Amino acid sequence: MSSKSTQEYLNEEEWWREEGYARPEDVPVPDWHLAILEERMERYRNEDTSTWRTWDEIREESMREIMEEMKRRSK
């Protein structure tokens, strides 16, 4: 989705009113959406999360790799 399309989508905050719903929470969620969410939550519950890294760790590693590559290319 382009940046312009994304912004247009985000600006469309009250589409649910146009569809006849009083609040966003009133919009029905299809059962198959709920089934996918439940499957993912079950998978998450069974994961060994002790090996997961935080976003900060991943970002730091990525920035370090970018900086190393920039140094390598400037030589």
Side-chain angles (χ1 to χ4, degrees), residues 5-56:
S5 297
T6 302
Q7 192 57 49
E8 288 172 359
Y9 179 79
L10 293 174
N11 288 341
E12 196 65 37
E13 293 176 2
E14 296 193 6
W15 64 268
W16 41 271
R17 279 197 190 162
E18 294 171 5
E19 296 296 320
Y21 301 107
R23 303 169 305 169
E25 298 82 21
D26 296 334
V27 177
V29 178
D31 288 340
W32 65 275
H33 284 199
L34 297 173
I36 290 171
L37 290 172
E38 184 57 40
E39 175 188 324
R40 290 178 181 175
M41 288 302 297
E42 187 61 32
R43 198 172 1 165
Y44 171 76
R45 282 187 212 99
N46 294 324
E47 284 285 325
D48 176 13
T49 58
S50 65
T51 61
W52 291 8
R53 298 184 299 160
T54 66
W55 168 243
D56 289 335

